Amino acid sequence: MATQAKKKRKPWKWVLSGFLVVIVLGVAALVYWGTGIYNSLDNFSKSKEESRFGQFNNETVEPPPKWEGTERVNILLLGGDARGLEENQVPRSDSIMIASFDPVTKKAHLFSVLRDTYIDIEGHGKGRINTAITLGGPQLAMKTVGDLLGLDIQYYVYTDFEGFKALVDTIGGVYFDVEKDMHYTDNADENKYDIDLKKGYQLLDGDKALQYVRFRHDAMSDFTRTERQREFLGAVADKLKSGWNIVQMKKILDSVSPYIETNLQVTDMLKLGQLGVESHLAGTQQVPPMDNIAEEHVGGASVLGVRDLDELKATVQETLTKDDTVAPPSTSPGAENGTDTTTDNSSTTQ
């Protein structure tokens, strides 16, 4: 029984699992006044001339309601693959996550969106959801993902492969248990992003960590990859909260700043930092869920359709009401004889 309980709790040991960049920003915001971090935080917001998305006209996409700090806030986390692109080209989203925080209940939820999900992209017809950013920049990506989930998404944070590697290297790597051998040869970019990992507990530097979170060449492809990403990012989150990494937060921020873009202002980061510390991860959900996926073919390529969009949105809303850290009531064998022996195990693990 103890083993089963341990396995059940494992996904929730990550206080802010998957909210990698949010944790970096939040922790940094909480200590900025003593270490001169304010300017480093401010560098995450790029001017139109500096931005890789400067060619897009944000006025074509209706913005979501402004977050006032008292209602739910949703943040789109985008990981881009910029390999082989020209200077002004925008990469597709290699990974898509949404971090959702409720300031009232202090519950946080994480959603992973399968990148081949085939849906309507406003003004561009139907397409893979990971192309929205290439068609209209982060604002259109926020609108497209928000329409899919039925959520207003107020903020985005974008980074690419090199930003992820820089972060992991700057914190000294992460010890992690690689569950199996992983091998894949990628002839693009002179094999710079080949995957060659051995099974076992080991220290993953930035390069090896990127190989782990990118691997999808097994039976379940992107389905298991999103799970790996959430678990590894949880390990990174734990290390970021260590005393030493808080001390060297300015160095961490400066190392990833060239690779990150966001519409978060420093004042937003301060509010989110406090909210992040007070919140606990109450649940995660893959989008679309397995039972709501319709395999389709477009132009000879496989895509993932949504069987019922209203049902998907209802699933998201249901997930947001749950707290999977709260154990359900347990019933002793005596209940089978008509005796009510239900016990309340409503303690919350944070």
Side-chain angles (χ1 to χ4, degrees), residues 194-265:
D194 283 357
I195 297 174
D196 185 18
L197 294 175
K198 296 293 185 182
K199 177 182 178 179
Y201 186 74
Q202 58 196 280
L203 178 65
L204 299 181
D205 62 10
D207 183 62
K208 294 293 186 182
L210 181 63
Q211 292 180 38
Y212 181 76
V213 299
R214 286 188 61 231
F215 184 77
R216 62 185 182 94
H217 306 282
D218 50 18
M220 294 298 288
S221 186
D222 256 4
F223 301 101
T224 50
R225 188 177 77 144
T226 56
E227 292 178 5
R228 292 190 192 101
Q229 290 174 348
R230 290 194 297 266
E231 185 160 358
F232 182 79
L233 294 178
V236 176
D238 287 341
K239 190 159 186 180
L240 278 169
K241 291 180 291 183
S242 71
W244 172 243
N245 280 318
I246 289 177
V247 169
Q248 64 168 3
M249 185 55 67
K250 179 171 173 47
K251 178 182 177 182
I252 294 173
L253 292 172
D254 289 343
S255 73
V256 301
S257 180
Y259 311 104
I260 289 180
E261 288 197 39
T262 181
N263 62 342
L264 282 161
Q265 302 301 313

Side-chain angles (χ1 to χ4, degrees), residues 34-199:
T35 56
I37 284 176
Y38 188 97
N39 288 337
S40 297
L41 287 170
D42 198 38
N43 288 336
F44 281 78
S45 298
K46 305 293 192 292
S47 68
K48 188 175 181 67
E49 292 72 28
E50 296 173 316
S51 174
R52 55 172 57 81
F53 309 113
Q55 69 269 43
F56 296 111
N57 180 9
N58 292 334
E59 294 178 0
T60 62
V61 180
E62 183 179 352
K66 180 178 173 59
W67 183 51
E68 301 295 342
T70 57
E71 69 281 8
R72 178 176 296 280
V73 58
N74 302 299
I75 307 160
L76 178 63
L77 309 178
L78 297 166
D81 182 358
R83 295 174 298 164
L85 298 182
E86 301 295 333
E87 183 175 349
N88 294 323
Q89 289 183 302
V90 177
R92 296 183 179 184
S93 308
D94 191 62
S95 62
I96 305 170
M97 293 183 178
I98 302 89
S100 183
F101 295 86
D102 187 333
V104 177
T105 64
K106 300 299 188 291
K107 295 178 184 178
H109 292 81
L110 179 66
F111 298 89
S112 294
V113 180
L114 297 173
R115 62 181 185 175
D116 288 333
T117 304
Y118 195 70
I119 61 168
D120 288 319
I121 301 176
E122 187 175 282
H124 299 275
K126 299 200 71 170
R128 286 183 172 87
I129 197 167
N130 67 339
T131 65
I133 194 170
T134 69
L135 298 170
Q139 299 297 329
L140 183 58
M142 291 165 60
K143 179 70 166 58
T144 304
V145 175
D147 288 346
L148 175 67
L149 274 68
L151 297 175
D152 290 326
I153 299 180
Q154 293 90 349
Y155 301 110
Y156 76 88
V157 180
Y158 170 93
T159 189
D160 60 18
F161 286 178
E162 296 305 314
F164 178 82
K165 289 168 59 177
L167 173 61
V168 175
D169 283 336
T170 306
I171 65 175
V174 177
Y175 279 98
F176 199 80
D177 189 10
V178 177
E179 68 271 21
K180 63 181 179 181
D181 290 348
M182 297 180 179
H183 303 285
Y184 180 72
T185 300
D186 190 342
N187 293 323
D189 297 304
E190 299 179 347
N191 299 98
K192 181 179 179 181
Y193 294 106
D194 283 357
I195 297 174
D196 185 18
L197 294 175
K198 296 293 185 182
K199 177 182 178 179

Side-chain angles (χ1 to χ4, degrees), residues 118 296-303:
Y118 195 70
E296 301 177 5
H297 290 83
V298 177
S302 296
V303 295

Side-chain angles (χ1 to χ4, degrees), residues 255-330:
S255 73
V256 301
S257 180
Y259 311 104
I260 289 180
E261 288 197 39
T262 181
N263 62 342
L264 282 161
Q265 302 301 313
V266 177
T267 52
D268 301 321
M269 298 178 199
L270 288 168
K271 289 190 292 185
L272 283 171
Q274 181 177 353
L275 178 57
V277 169
E278 296 173 348
S279 300
H280 70 278
L281 183 64
T284 67
Q285 176 67 54
Q286 171 193 289
V287 179
M290 292 291 290
D291 59 2
N292 202 350
I293 290 175
E295 291 191 21
E296 301 177 5
H297 290 83
V298 177
S302 296
V303 295
L304 303 177
V306 178
R307 294 183 185 276
D308 190 324
L309 184 57
D310 289 337
E311 182 180 320
L312 188 153
K313 293 178 180 179
T315 299
V316 169
Q317 291 301 315
E318 182 181 3
T319 300
L320 292 174
T321 64
K322 292 181 178 179
D323 188 342
D324 291 334
T325 66
V326 178
S330 60

